[in-house]
Amino acid sequence: MPFIEEIAIANPKYCHKQEDILKFMQSVAPENEHRKLKMIYKKSGIQTRYSVIPDYGLEERTFYPLSQTLEPFPSVETRMKLFEKEALDLCVNAIEKLTDFSNITHLITVTCTGLSAPGLDIALIKKLKLPTDIIRTSVNFMGCYAGFHALRLADTFCKTQENARILIVDVELCTIHFQKTSTEDNFIANALFADGAAAVIVSNNPKQAYFELRGFHTELALEGEQSMAWEVASTGFLMTLNSYVPDFLASNIENLVDKSLKKNDLYMSQVHHWAVHPGGNRILESIEKKLTLKKIQLESAYKVLSQYGNMSSATIFFVLKELKNIVKKNENIFSCGFGPGLTMESLVLKGI
């Protein structure tokens, strides 16, 4: 039976207050949009976010041009070079916080914010001197639910190889893709997303493990396909994240929960903890209302959102780590995340 042995997390050195990021955004936005931006940030539920870019909290810029228009605006090539420079060290920072990352048989890397080949997987093997015959899998460009996909792969590897010991490395540098065009999608994305990394060990060893992986379930809400998207453009990756997403999720969350729990022979009353991907404050509030949960039941998600923002696929590991010291033996956890498609992933775990 597969288990999450340990989770370690890391963030870049630049911690920005949400009000400072708002000032940066207002400084490059048309004046008639300032009030709208202020309202979005006020309702975000976020206090601080981390970034590999210092500009969002400083008067002087080091990445973006000093011009009012930010021209020449950084190209996708410039942003990918920044990803290559920063992502590896952030991953290593998380990995080195693990108690033991020896005897790794499989390496799964996860990101949707930077792409290259040779990629992060090979860079990690060189940096950490991992075996060159290690089995490598890269989960790329799936969005906020990709961490669940990585855990599903690790679960499969463990079930087919008794001595499997999988290292999942998930890193997202969302803030390198800031877009300045005044659209609702950009305003929302710029108010939510942040940078972070997680390192996770999955194996068949229950000794001192965090959680047991019980079962996965996925649903595709195609009516929301155009509401969340992630595309490559000349000035970076473009996020579509419109204001209807919380409504789409609320309309489909009961079906996801019902089917997932049924597959795992559980009832709603047997769920002791909830580990929901904090895609945004409105998303959490919509799920809370639809499932008639109390806010305290989503406390771990709200706390991660407040302290870190939305770090795309890495965020769910921050939430699970937050729950680690709360969950008791044999208590059930329902976890879920969302992304382009509109994809809804879920996972049931059990405390060890």
Side-chain angles (χ1 to χ4, degrees):
M1 183 65 69
F3 301 86
I4 294 179
E5 275 192 33
E6 191 175 5
I7 299 172
I9 58 175
N11 295 93
K13 65 179 178 180
Y14 299 113
C15 179
H16 301 304
K17 294 180 180 178
Q18 187 75 329
E19 58 262 34
D20 291 335
I21 301 174
L22 171 60
K23 290 176 184 177
F24 172 87
M25 297 301 171
Q26 288 178 324
S27 73
V28 297
E31 191 170 347
N32 64 339
E33 300 285 10
H34 287 194
R35 185 177 179 183
K36 181 189 288 186
L37 283 168
K38 187 175 182 179
M39 188 61 64
I40 291 172
Y41 279 69
K42 184 178 180 180
K43 294 181 177 181
S44 68
I46 298 171
Q47 298 297 317
T48 52
R49 285 186 280 162
Y50 291 81
S51 174
V52 296
I53 298 174
D55 303 34
Y56 302 118
L58 300 174
E59 292 183 6
E60 294 185 9
R61 300 174 191 156
T62 62
F63 182 70
Y64 298 107
L66 296 174
S67 64
Q68 174 66 29
T69 61
L70 301 183
E71 293 295 341
F73 203 46
S75 65
V76 68
E77 291 90 350
T78 300
R79 297 169 196 256
M80 289 301 91
K81 286 179 181 177
L82 182 61
F83 182 90
E84 290 178 20
K85 177 185 175 185
E86 300 288 349
L88 178 61
D89 287 345
L90 190 59
C91 289
V92 171
N93 186 357
I95 293 166
E96 289 181 341
K97 292 178 182 178
L98 293 169
T99 305
D100 177 18
F101 57 93
S102 63
N103 301 315
I104 300 299
T105 59
H106 300 67
L107 172 65
I108 302 174
T109 53
V110 185
T111 188
C112 70
T113 51
L115 300 173
S116 65
L120 184 61
D121 53 342
I122 293 175
L124 283 167
I125 287 172
K126 290 171 62 180
K127 183 77 172 181
L128 299 172
K129 295 181 172 55
L130 296 174
T132 54
D133 63 348
I134 196 169
I135 298 172
R136 296 178 286 120
T137 306
S138 294
V139 179
N140 294 327
F141 224 70
M142 296 186 81
C144 296
Y145 66 90
F148 290 86
H149 192 68
L151 286 171
R152 187 193 288 264
L153 288 170
D155 180 76
T156 300
F157 291 147
C158 284
K159 288 175 177 175
T160 56
Q161 183 177 332
E162 188 175 349
N163 70 337
R165 195 159 193 262
I166 297 97
L167 171 61
I168 298 173
V169 184
D170 192 330
V171 61
E172 301 289 13
L173 304 186
C174 305
T175 67
I176 70 174
H177 295 292
F178 159 68
Q179 299 296 319
K180 62 174 182 168
T181 308
S182 295
T183 66
E184 183 180 12
D185 287 343
N186 285 341
F187 287 162
I188 294 172
N190 293 339
L192 291 176
F193 287 95
D195 302 347
V200 184
I201 298 289
V202 179
S203 74
N204 289 311
N205 181 13
K207 187 178 179 181
Q208 297 180 332
Y210 281 24
F211 311 113
E212 176 187 332
L213 298 175
R214 291 198 58 178
F216 297 82
H217 181 71
T218 185
E219 290 285 337
L220 197 56
L222 290 173
E223 67 272 23
E225 183 179 4
Q226 302 303 317
S227 296
M228 190 185 297
W230 192 226
E231 300 173 325
V232 179
S234 59
T235 58
F237 298 172
L238 306 184
M239 167 62 74
T240 298
L241 185 66
N242 69 40
S243 58
Y244 297 108
V245 170
D247 297 329
F248 283 124
L249 294 177
S251 298
N252 289 276
I253 190 66
E254 285 182 310
N255 179 56
L256 179 76
V257 174
D258 289 345
K259 288 186 176 180
S260 181
L261 292 181
K262 187 176 181 180
K263 283 173 71 173
N264 288 280
D265 297 320
L266 292 172
Y267 295 101
M268 183 94 159
S269 59
Q270 294 174 292
V271 176
H272 302 91
H273 304 277
W274 296 82
V276 178
H277 167 67
N281 206 38
R282 276 194 60 210
I283 288 175
L284 292 178
E285 289 173 348
S286 297
I287 291 173
E288 180 185 320
K289 182 178 179 180
K290 192 68 176 181
L291 297 178
T292 62
L293 300 174
K294 296 178 181 178
K295 187 168 185 176
I296 194 169
Q297 290 177 276
L298 298 183
E299 184 179 8
S300 58
Y302 278 114
K303 185 176 180 180
V304 168
L305 180 66
S306 176
Q307 294 180 354
Y308 301 99
N310 182 346
M311 299 164 286
S312 190
S313 64
T315 319
I316 194 61
F317 296 117
F318 282 66
V319 176
L320 289 172
K321 186 172 179 64
E322 189 69 32
L323 279 174
K324 188 258 180 180
N325 294 322
I326 301 172
V327 177
K328 297 177 182 178
K329 186 177 181 178
N330 294 326
E331 287 187 333
N332 297 309
I333 308 159
F334 184 87
S335 184
C336 57
F338 327 99
L342 193 78
T343 303
M344 306 177 72
E345 289 281 357
S346 67
L347 164 64
V348 174
L349 309 98
K350 187 169 75 173
I352 300 301

